[in-house]
Amino acid sequence: MLSTKLSRSMSASLLLSSLAFGVSVCAETLPADYSKPESWLCRGADKDLGACDVDMTTTIVNADGSMSVEKFSKTDDAKVDCFYVYPTVSLDKTGNSDMVAGPEEYSVVKQQFARYGSVCRTFAPLYRQVTLTALRAGISRTGGAAGVDRTMNYGDVVAAWNNYLENYNDGRGVILVGHSQGSGVLTQLIKKEIEGKAIQKKIISAMLIGTRVQVPAGQTVGATFEHMPLCESATQNECIVTYASFRSDVPPPEQGMFGKNGKDSVSACTSPAKLADNTTALHAYLNTQQGVSSSSVSPLSWTKNTPQLETPFASVPGLLTGKCVANERGGYFEMTVHGDPKDPRTDDISGDVMNADGSVNASWGLHLVDMNIAMGNLISLARQQSEAYLAK
């Protein structure tokens, strides 16, 4: 999750390697204290934390301009858990964020994770991530946000994970959910603490979105992970769901990071729509309100007569499709917008990362809305994988 504009597109690779993929280079730092409730954005049944107990009401905007309201219902008797690590959103002025949640942390939980509450108990730790301030400084080469510690984010998440296992898991299955920097940190967690160990049996799936997972060509495991393969069905467990999304008419550039193949491996893509429903139709939940640090905002008008909606989310059935693509550019999730100028509904969505000159930054694709465009598919997949896990 980034700001809407980046001043130098090719400099983004420097930050991608450290933020999206979770590279660590500094000395070890003592982790945060996760026995404190204020160290969590969401912690199971602790409703007073607030981040996962928010209004998720959605307006369904049909192609003919008709609308209906979809209420959200959080399950009260979830049999499984979800553990989420959020992307780069902190607006703190330091290299690493503090442990005080700001509007940006609350906003991204609402956009990317709170809806999982219809399937599972939700756990989302605060962590001292590398900040958006540091990302911007690195891209613009201004030298701002000094003192970045690239081990602090991982150390905090490991501590939160261990606290969750010790105090809340009680043998339950768990879905790991991450985006961008969060996916990079979870990738490290899986490699170091989970795969090949007894705890792997509790992993329903790991949804690592907006990052780069590598596999040998023609295989589902190897390269990034040794024991956890890519998910190939909605009834499979202990597997990886991953993709980075791009518009069909703005594919990733050859020198981009997302979707780029490795020397002896290819960039993995698992379509949540195909896994969940064997389709290309995307069930999007799009933000209708101005975000704190995201361009995942509403179009100028949802219909010809409705510039704004009262609900925080919109769903646009039939407007978006997505599929995994593998070619000489790499492996990525290709989204197509099927706008029709003859109908009253919007013909496009927002979500591109923009350069300072107003052009689309092709290297980042639809990174800002990776999860929004397929949120309904991800939730359906999480539900099916959880049912398969519980049936065992």
Side-chain angles (χ1 to χ4, degrees):
M1 190 73 69
L2 307 169
S3 64
T4 59
K5 294 185 177 181
L6 300 176
S7 60
R8 297 187 183 183
S9 60
M10 295 316 296
S11 297
S13 61
L14 169 66
L15 278 303
L16 279 170
S17 63
S18 61
L19 300 185
F21 309 144
V23 173
S24 300
V25 296
C26 297
E28 185 176 355
T29 305
L30 290 177
D33 183 357
Y34 289 95
S35 67
K36 298 178 178 180
E38 59 266 30
S39 294
W40 296 84
L41 289 158
C42 313
R43 192 173 66 172
D46 291 351
K47 294 185 180 297
D48 57 330
L49 298 182
C52 286
D53 296 288
V54 289
D55 182 11
M56 304 295 292
T57 309
T58 301
T59 298
I60 300 173
V61 184
N62 297 303
D64 63 5
S66 63
M67 298 184 187
S68 60
V69 175
E70 175 188 282
K71 299 292 186 180
F72 173 75
S73 179
K74 186 174 180 179
T75 182
D76 293 324
D77 61 347
K79 303 296 190 300
V80 301
D81 294 340
C82 291
F83 185 93
Y84 169 69
V85 185
Y86 52 89
T88 310
V89 295
S90 175
L91 297 174
D92 293 349
K93 301 304 181 183
T94 50
N96 291 81
S97 64
D98 58 27
M99 288 293 290
V100 179
E104 61 270 31
E105 283 89 359
Y106 283 102
S107 177
V108 76
V109 170
K110 183 174 182 176
Q111 292 298 316
Q112 295 189 344
F113 186 57
R115 201 169 293 276
Y116 280 84
S118 64
V119 176
C120 52
R121 293 194 309 176
T122 50
F123 292 81
L126 272 169
Y127 71 105
R128 291 170 294 179
Q129 68 169 207
V130 179
T131 62
L132 191 57
T133 305
L135 185 150
R136 289 168 172 164
I139 292 174
S140 62
R141 299 178 182 175
T142 61
V148 176
D149 184 337
R150 302 196 190 283
T151 65
M152 191 181 290
N153 54 2
Y154 177 70
D156 281 354
V157 172
V158 172
W161 172 247
N162 288 334
N163 181 277
Y164 158 75
L165 290 178
E166 181 178 352
N167 296 289
Y168 301 99
N169 178 263
D170 197 27
R172 296 159 65 95
V174 57
I175 300 172
L176 301 175
V177 183
H179 182 253
S180 195
Q181 182 175 173
S183 291
V185 173
L186 282 176
T187 295
Q188 293 185 72
L189 183 76
I190 293 169
K191 293 172 68 173
K192 296 178 180 179
E193 304 290 335
I194 294 174
E195 69 167 349
K197 299 178 173 62
I199 187 62
Q200 181 180 317
K201 293 296 182 183
K202 293 183 181 179
I203 304 301
I204 296 171
S205 67
M207 298 185 173
L208 309 178
I209 314 303
T211 189
R212 184 157 62 100
V213 173
Q214 299 282 290
V215 293
Q219 300 184 37
T220 61
V221 69
T224 298
F225 299 112
E226 296 181 4
H227 302 281
M228 291 181 64
L230 303 178
C231 295
E232 296 184 279
S233 79
T235 59
Q236 186 178 355
N237 298 136
E238 301 176 47
C239 59
I240 306 296
V241 177
T242 188
Y243 64 86
S245 56
F246 292 82
R247 288 182 183 267
S248 55
D249 55 352
V250 188
E254 292 183 3
Q255 299 304 315
M257 292 293 291
F258 293 120
K260 184 178 180 180
N261 294 335
K263 181 180 179 181
D264 299 309
S265 60
V266 297
S267 186
C269 176
T270 54
S271 166
K274 183 173 180 58
L275 284 171
D277 304 303
N278 196 30
T279 183
T280 62
L282 295 183
H283 186 175
Y285 283 95
L286 304 171
N287 183 29
T288 65
Q289 302 163 348
Q290 180 65 52
V292 175
S293 59
S294 165
S295 71
S296 55
V297 297
S298 65
L300 295 178
S301 180
W302 290 96
T303 73
K304 288 182 171 63
N305 300 315
T306 314
Q308 295 181 330
L309 299 175
E310 294 183 0
T311 61
F313 291 94
S315 183
V316 284
L319 183 63
L320 308 177
T321 60
K323 63 181 181 179
C324 287
V325 170
N327 55 33
E328 67 281 357
R329 294 178 181 271
Y332 59 96
F333 193 56
E334 181 184 82
M335 187 207 74
T336 301
V337 184
H338 301 274
D340 184 352
K342 297 179 182 179
D343 69 38
R345 186 174 64 182
T346 178
D347 295 326
D348 203 359
I349 66 168
S350 300
D352 306 274
V353 176
M354 308 299 291
N355 292 313
D357 62 3
S359 61
V360 172
N361 188 312
S363 294
W364 290 88
L366 291 165
H367 191 68
L368 297 173
V369 290
D370 277 328
M371 296 190 70
N372 295 81
I373 62 173
M375 180 57 69
N377 309 97
L378 290 168
I379 298 302
S380 177
L381 178 59
R383 182 173 289 108
Q384 292 179 69
Q385 290 181 320
S386 297
E387 291 172 351
Y389 175 87
L390 293 169
K392 296 176 183 178

